[in-house]
Amino acid sequence: MSVKKIVKYGTPSLREKSKEVHKISKKIQILIEDLFDTLYAQNGVGLAAPQIGENLRVFVIDTGTDQKTMNPLTFINPKIIKKEGAVNSYEGCLSFPEAYTNVRRYKNVKIKALNEKGKPFILEATEGSLLARAIQHEFDHLDGILFIDHCRNRFEADKILMEKGLNPIDSDYILDEKDLETEIQNNTQQQEGKKVD
Ligand code: NI
């Protein structure tokens, strides 16, 4: 349908909780098309409705890199029903042009949602894959949570944001993820141990 302007970090609506979708109306179908058009125009992996100015519980993901591997996935009213393990990775977001920082994520997630036709489905993404991380990142957008809230090193994250002309992180939003951090550190030690053996 059309490529939309992406709502940038600093806009208050990115921090709002989005509303459930009650009916897959024409408006929702157009929203989904706009999300994909905008995602592909930006070469992104995922995009959530609040990022194009609609605070509704819808996001899209495509981890494909070309036409052959294209895999457009639509998630409406999603619920994460299982999360386990921990990984760290560099992440970015289309609402934060060119800013990447190290964040904590679950390694495995299982999500339940409706597809673009309103049909329920369950999807599991494991091993800290790009899909597993994208699901968590986009799901967060529906609750007004941004990837920087999961940062492992606040000073590093603030430095990157300020270099890109963006505001530093508001302390109120930083998430307490001690369990995830402990698991990430244990995993790192185990991996280092393996190398020594
Ligand atoms: Ni994002």
Side-chain angles (χ1 to χ4, degrees):
M1 275 277 158
S2 55
V3 174
K4 296 287 180 184
K5 200 166 165 245
I6 293 185
V7 177
K8 296 292 185 314
Y9 171 55
T11 309
S13 63
L14 276 188
R15 286 298 190 181
E16 280 171 24
K17 200 171 160 72
S18 290
K19 292 194 171 71
E20 294 254 328
V21 170
H22 296 297
K23 187 176 168 243
I24 317 292
S25 59
K26 187 76 194 160
K27 184 193 160 192
I28 298 297
Q29 287 168 0
I30 292 170
L31 170 66
I32 294 165
E33 285 177 31
D34 288 348
L35 281 167
F36 278 116
D37 288 346
T38 310
L39 178 71
Y40 293 134
Q42 299 285 340
N43 285 317
V45 172
L47 190 64
Q51 291 180 279
I52 59 167
E54 290 286 347
N55 281 84
L56 289 166
R57 301 190 78 81
V58 180
F59 66 77
V60 301
I61 289 178
D62 193 336
T63 55
T65 47
D66 56 38
Q67 291 225 311
K68 273 188 202 158
T69 58
M70 256 177 92
N71 182 25
L73 298 170
T74 302
F75 302 77
I76 301 170
N77 297 344
K79 302 250 177 323
I80 291 184
I81 51 176
K82 192 170 113 187
K83 43 192 183 185
E84 60 185 16
V87 286
N88 70 292
S89 64
Y90 270 84
E91 242 175 69
C93 175
L94 293 175
S95 295
F96 294 70
E98 294 172 61
Y100 297 87
T101 194
N102 204 358
V103 298
R104 308 179 186 101
R105 293 288 181 194
Y106 291 98
K107 190 177 179 185
N108 307 319
V109 286
K110 201 190 249 188
I111 188 166
K112 191 173 122 180
L114 303 178
N115 70 9
E116 66 285 358
K117 295 191 176 79
K119 198 171 164 255
F121 68 98
I122 288 176
L123 181 69
E124 192 161 14
T126 60
E127 297 305 315
S129 60
L130 181 58
L131 178 61
R133 289 181 281 125
I135 286 172
Q136 293 170 73
H137 179 117
E138 302 311 330
F139 182 84
D140 274 352
H141 274 297
L142 309 185
D143 288 327
I145 299 168
L146 302 172
F147 77 111
I148 51 170
D149 306 345
H150 295 278
C151 68
R152 292 192 65 202
N153 183 329
R154 191 196 171 148
F155 296 104
E156 183 203 55
D158 277 345
K159 190 168 167 263
I160 291 159
L161 289 172
M162 288 190 288
E163 274 169 11
K164 303 295 174 194
L166 301 166
N167 291 335
I169 310 174
D170 182 335
S171 299
D172 292 350
Y173 292 112
I174 293 188
L175 296 162
D176 174 36
E177 297 179 312
K178 287 195 191 73
D179 292 354
L180 278 183
E181 183 57 35
T182 305
E183 197 164 337
I184 289 168
Q185 283 179 11
N186 289 344
N187 292 344
T188 312
Q189 277 161 13
Q190 273 173 20
Q191 279 165 9
E192 281 167 3
K194 265 184 211 155
K195 274 184 221 151
V196 175
D197 294 342

